[in-house]
Amino acid sequence: MNKIRLMLIAFVISITGFAISTPSFAVYYPPEQAIDMTVAKVQAAIDAMKNGGNAEAVSDLIKDALDASKEINASDSVFVARTKASNVLKSARNHLKGGAAKEAEEELNKALQSFSNLKKML
């Protein structure tokens, strides 16, 4: 009887482990929503920069935009364009860390345009 109970407990624990796994908590965003989320975060970084935010805060906002851009999953051509736009964001972040705020703002505007154009590719 004890062996049956132990086997039943082991079975229940293993089934529970499969049912509550990490992928079941993952959030999937449709490409349009992911693009909108990324554009909003890039715009927040631009607004913070125009309002005189410090470089570290703006850099964190750019990092959030980069993280949001990873949710954009569509075709291969969208992937290539997303990668190019992400590289512009990374460059803006590097310029900001280097103290070149004007170049960073120009690249943020370029990244905003690039991410906005991704919707046309869907």
Side-chain angles (χ1 to χ4, degrees):
M1 188 68 174
N2 280 340
K3 288 183 180 181
I4 293 174
R5 186 177 347 149
L6 288 175
M7 287 178 18
L8 182 62
I9 290 173
F11 178 73
V12 169
I13 290 172
S14 65
I15 293 299
T16 305
F18 288 125
I20 305 175
S21 64
T22 304
S24 65
F25 293 116
V27 177
Y28 172 75
Y29 295 103
E32 298 87 5
Q33 187 179 1
I35 291 169
D36 290 339
M37 184 172 55
T38 303
V39 167
K41 291 186 184 240
V42 172
Q43 186 63 50
I46 292 171
D47 292 343
M49 195 151 190
K50 286 182 180 178
N51 292 333
N54 65 359
E56 186 175 326
V58 176
S59 180
D60 289 342
L61 290 171
I62 294 172
K63 175 72 169 117
D64 290 342
L66 282 167
D67 291 342
S69 74
K70 294 176 185 174
E71 298 294 328
I72 301 171
N73 294 317
S75 65
D76 289 339
S77 59
V78 172
F79 177 77
V80 170
R82 176 190 66 94
T83 303
K84 288 179 182 178
S86 294
N87 289 339
V88 173
L89 273 180
K90 290 175 187 175
S91 178
R93 192 169 182 217
N94 290 335
H95 281 300
L96 192 62
K97 287 181 180 180
K102 182 175 172 129
E103 289 85 359
E105 188 173 353
E106 290 172 1
E107 291 191 340
L108 281 173
N109 287 324
K110 184 178 175 184
L112 180 67
Q113 187 65 34
S114 297
F115 280 115
S116 297
N117 289 337
L118 288 179
K119 276 194 168 183
K120 297 175 186 172
M121 299 177 74
L122 297 178

